[in-house]
Amino acid sequence: MSFGRRTTAPAGVGASRPVAEAPRTRRGGYWLGLLANAAVAILTMAVMPFISQFKLNGSRIETLIAVGGIAILNVVAVAAVITLLVDFALRGLGWRKPWVYALVCAAVVFAFYLAMTLAGGSINPIFALYVAVWPAAVGGWVMGLYRR
């Protein structure tokens, strides 16, 4: 005999209902999106010498690594701020689909780098597409996936 626990259902009560699953957590979506953004940007920088628009032109590898590292830090810092603002805006509107996050993140990053190109002219738009817009879309999708 066991005290404190029922071993059978009481008379007149059907079988016990299954326990509801715990809701999926929303924590970590921002950080996972930012991590995905940084990872895709780093992979893109690693592949960039093989893309025809970005020939190495005899540059030393140390120079390329330094410039690439600075570019990645810049892209991740910009992505951190833009992703946070997009996250606040979309959660406030109640839009939780991953593709919406991806589209809005990519559009905002594209608009930011386009404005910088038009204002200063120092940023190559193709470079911004490869290293900023594409990673922002992937990071936004990952963030949206964990924000549902």
Side-chain angles (χ1 to χ4, degrees):
M1 181 172 221
S2 63
F3 294 101
R5 274 189 349 189
R6 276 200 180 139
T7 55
T8 60
V13 177
S16 64
R17 291 183 288 162
V19 177
E21 289 184 27
R24 196 165 140 184
T25 180
R26 293 183 188 172
R27 296 183 66 201
Y30 171 76
W31 296 109
L32 286 173
L34 198 58
L35 182 65
N37 190 335
V40 171
I42 289 169
L43 289 174
T44 303
M45 285 295 289
V47 173
M48 200 166 275
F50 302 107
I51 299 172
S52 63
Q53 291 95 346
F54 299 102
K55 293 294 181 189
L56 296 178
N57 296 331
S59 299
R60 295 179 53 193
I61 192 71
E62 294 86 14
T63 305
L64 294 173
I65 290 174
V67 170
I70 292 169
I72 294 297
L73 287 175
N74 181 23
V75 166
V76 171
V78 168
V81 173
I82 288 176
T83 305
L84 185 65
L85 295 175
V86 166
D87 185 33
F88 284 152
L90 291 180
R91 281 196 297 161
L93 292 171
W95 296 347
R96 305 219 185 250
K97 299 285 184 189
W99 66 269
V100 172
Y101 272 88
L103 186 67
V104 172
C105 283
V108 171
V109 168
F110 178 73
F112 174 78
Y113 280 106
L114 182 64
M116 285 187 62
T117 301
L118 294 175
S122 61
I123 295 175
N124 184 347
I126 295 175
F127 180 78
L129 283 174
Y130 282 125
V131 179
V133 176
W134 166 243
V138 173
W141 185 83
V142 170
M143 182 175 62
L145 185 66
Y146 286 95
R147 290 287 191 207
R148 296 197 305 175

